[in-house]
Amino acid sequence: MKWTQSFIRTFREPPADAETISQKLMHQTGMIDKLISGVYSFLPIGLKVLQKVSNIIREEMNNAGGLELLMPSLQPASLWEETGRYGKMGKDMITFQDRRDRCILLGPTHEEVITDIIRKYVKSWKQMPVLLYQIQTKYRDEIRPRFGIIRAREFLMKDAYSFDVDDKSSEISYFKMKDTYIKIFQRCGLKTDIKQADSGVIGGKFSEEFIAEGQCAELEVGHIFKLGMEYSTKMKAVFNDKEGKEKPIIMGCYGIGVSRIVSAIIEGNYDNKGIIWPISVSPYQVLILPLKSGEEKEMAEKIYENLKKPGWEVLLDDRDESAGIKFSDGDLLGIPIWLIFGKKLKEGKVEVKLRKNNKFYDVPIENIEQFIKDILKEL
RNA sequence: CGGGGCGUAGCGCAGCUGGCUUAGCGCGCAUGGUUUGGGACCAUGAGGUCCUCGGUUCAAAUCCGAGCGCCCCGACCA
């Protein structure tokens, strides 16, 4: 991607109302744009990171045997009355009347909907275990949205639900998810602690939450629950066991705040100049900086085309800006590997800079591809 | 919902105490030119419902009232 075509717009100063570092940096790099309190647009560069995180989650969920589905955001209040949660959630839920005066809500979570699906489709012990998940927007009218997308009223969440024939099997599902979560957070470059937690409105028997390290004390990037028979009993999600006896399905549910992860990654990976993306979620892997407009720019474009071929995501800063601005914006944006086309080009060399530790390497142009390959192994 | 703060150009702010020309500054943006290794410079220019409504007044960004919005602390929360 060429910078001049990328919609990237950086700001020298953070917005006055931003408090946390991730919020400031996401605004300064033009990743997000606030519409109203707790509600944000993801601009192209921000969406790119969000999609990287989503794809890591997807891969690991699929590896764990999960099946992706997509449930609606609009849900009938009547379904929530079955579990008694309509009252419990209270004003956190965004509700409205449709034209037939039916009470509809914007889904803050999906236990009721998934249980409804399961009770319609699963009738036999032979159909389990099942693990279903979705990546979808959730709506919660938080008492106090804060810290940008860390606690938003509209946010992207991965929610998964497991269905088993008995406690033993459900336990296996639970621990499989726990392992999967550890892998997901590792791949995203997040250090997390696991703590036993209060199950809150979700209910169930037991839950653990994954807390991301960082300055910002907030909720937590993942939460896994053993729900037991809580929902299946109330909603009559039952199956026939081997003896033909009717039994309630044993459930678990597993959430990850996808958009919140993006914030959490920044909270754990930045310096006074800007973001330092882990390679796995960086919007681009390589940033190319031609510092002058002549031969440097020509050569930079050539290398840019070459590097795109093997599938690397490359950002070429083709703006007619001074070196200082390109460096500063590069630091702010946090792309891990930089290729600087400047002084050293006369000697046939490109300078490689690593954002992480600010180390520079002089690399002959013909060796660039191999050099990046080697560096990528270490990052 | 309680407490605190804020609302003036795309962003960051000054002006308000003590009402008075055409409401400023920095950044950004546009055009032209000189620059180009860590946020360069010159010139010209565009851009404003001073959050909204009402009140006081000869006169309101400025004073008063109400409302709306935003941020922070607290309670609350996957």
Side-chain angles (χ1 to χ4, degrees):
Chain A
M1 175 63 67
K2 292 184 178 177
W3 193 297
T4 52
Q5 292 161 18
S6 69
F7 205 75
I8 297 172
R9 171 87 195 272
T10 60
F11 295 88
R12 195 175 292 212
E13 296 185 73
D17 58 11
E19 193 67 17
T20 57
I21 193 74
S22 59
Q23 195 181 359
K24 286 179 187 171
L25 289 172
M26 275 193 272
H27 273 112
Q28 278 185 267
T29 53
M31 288 176 65
I32 56 171
D33 177 76
K34 184 171 73 184
L35 187 61
I36 52 172
S37 177
V39 178
Y40 291 82
S41 297
F42 275 80
L43 304 181
I45 196 98
L47 180 62
K48 217 154 182 307
V49 177
L50 193 67
Q51 285 171 337
K52 292 247 173 163
V53 171
S54 302
N55 284 336
I56 289 174
I57 293 172
R58 217 170 247 130
E59 274 178 40
E60 293 300 334
M61 289 303 297
N62 291 346
N63 280 344
L67 295 167
E68 187 170 3
L69 81 169
L70 186 60
M71 290 180 268
S73 286
L74 300 185
Q75 305 181 15
S78 55
L79 202 55
W80 287 65
E81 271 155 8
E82 287 188 41
T83 56
R85 288 211 299 175
Y86 187 65
K88 263 190 200 166
M89 271 276 186
K91 287 194 168 175
D92 279 0
M93 230 158 18
I94 298 168
T95 61
F96 64 94
Q97 311 285 124
D98 68 11
R99 62 170 67 204
R100 287 169 213 155
D101 281 337
R102 209 178 171 201
C103 186
I104 306 291
L105 57 96
L106 292 179
T109 179
H110 281 72
E111 282 79 14
E112 278 79 0
V113 177
I114 195 82
T115 306
D116 180 64
I117 290 169
I118 287 297
R119 71 182 169 187
K120 291 179 195 160
Y121 287 84
V122 173
K123 298 291 176 192
S124 158
W125 64 275
K126 292 174 194 166
Q127 292 171 278
M128 287 180 278
V130 186
L131 178 66
L132 298 169
Y133 76 95
Q134 66 173 348
I135 294 174
Q136 193 231 25
T137 303
K138 297 285 189 270
Y139 301 87
R140 295 182 189 179
D141 198 1
E142 293 283 348
I143 295 174
R144 175 142 94 91
R146 63 177 116 178
F147 306 141
I149 60 167
I150 290 180
R151 190 199 294 190
R153 296 197 290 174
E154 173 176 331
F155 59 97
L156 196 65
M157 179 173 175
K158 188 282 305 178
D159 46 325
Y161 307 87
S162 65
F163 305 90
D164 287 275
V165 292
D166 56 28
D167 282 332
K168 208 177 191 176
S169 169
S170 182
E171 190 92 343
I172 292 168
S173 297
Y174 182 89
F175 283 108
K176 198 193 274 176
M177 274 301 101
K178 192 170 170 177
D179 284 344
T180 301
Y181 273 34
I182 291 168
K183 278 182 206 157
I184 288 170
F185 296 130
Q186 265 175 3
R187 283 185 63 185
C188 290
L190 272 182
K191 290 173 187 158
T192 51
D193 284 335
I194 303 172
K195 280 187 190 153
Q196 200 170 325
D198 180 5
S199 302
V201 205
I202 301 293
K205 304 190 289 189
F206 178 81
S207 84
E208 289 174 290
E209 56 189 12
F210 290 74
I211 314 281
E213 272 183 22
Q215 305 241 310
C216 187
E218 305 256 334
L219 287 222
E220 177 190 340
V221 289
H223 202 147
I224 54 180
F225 300 81
K226 293 181 189 176
L227 295 176
M229 302 185 292
E230 174 127 6
Y231 291 84
S232 49
T233 308
K234 285 179 182 159
M235 293 183 66
K236 295 205 178 83
V238 295
F239 69 102
N240 285 314
D241 70 6
K242 286 182 186 176
E243 276 86 45
K245 271 193 225 159
E246 199 171 77
K247 282 185 176 169
I249 294 169
I250 311 296
M251 292 173 51
C253 77
Y254 317 92
I256 288 181
V258 183
S259 41
R260 181 178 285 180
I261 281 185
V262 176
S263 276
I265 292 170
I266 295 171
E267 294 287 330
N269 298 279
Y270 72 95
D271 64 14
N272 59 353
K273 290 177 177 172
I275 302 171
I276 304 173
W277 288 115
I279 193 85
S280 57
V281 294
S282 181
Y284 297 93
Q285 289 137 21
V286 181
L287 173 65
I288 298 183
L289 302 178
L291 297 187
K292 289 176 187 171
S293 52
E295 192 194 351
E296 287 85 355
K297 195 164 184 178
E298 277 170 35
M299 192 52 81
E301 293 221 14
K302 210 168 163 187
I303 297 290
Y304 164 73
E305 294 297 337
N306 284 344
L307 293 184
K308 281 199 303 182
K309 281 178 203 157
W312 284 326
E313 290 166 296
V314 186
L315 180 64
L316 171 67
D317 191 346
D318 59 337
R319 293 176 300 171
D320 189 19
E321 291 287 357
S322 71
I325 286 181
K326 291 186 178 180
F327 283 137
S328 299
D329 277 345
D331 283 326
L332 193 60
L333 207 56
I335 311 291
I337 302 169
W338 297 20
L339 306 184
I340 301 165
F341 288 75
K343 284 177 188 167
K344 301 276 172 70
L345 193 64
K346 283 172 198 155
E347 306 162 29
K349 285 176 181 168
V350 174
E351 279 169 285
V352 178
K353 168 182 154 157
L354 299 188
R355 175 68 181 87
K356 206 173 166 181
N357 51 22
N358 209 40
K359 277 192 180 160
F360 288 78
Y361 305 85
D362 291 342
V363 181
I365 287 188
E366 59 273 20
N367 297 348
I368 283 288
E369 245 177 88
Q370 189 56 46
F371 190 87
I372 293 174
K373 274 183 201 163
D374 294 341
I375 287 280
L376 282 173
K377 281 177 206 156
E378 291 169 32
L379 284 175

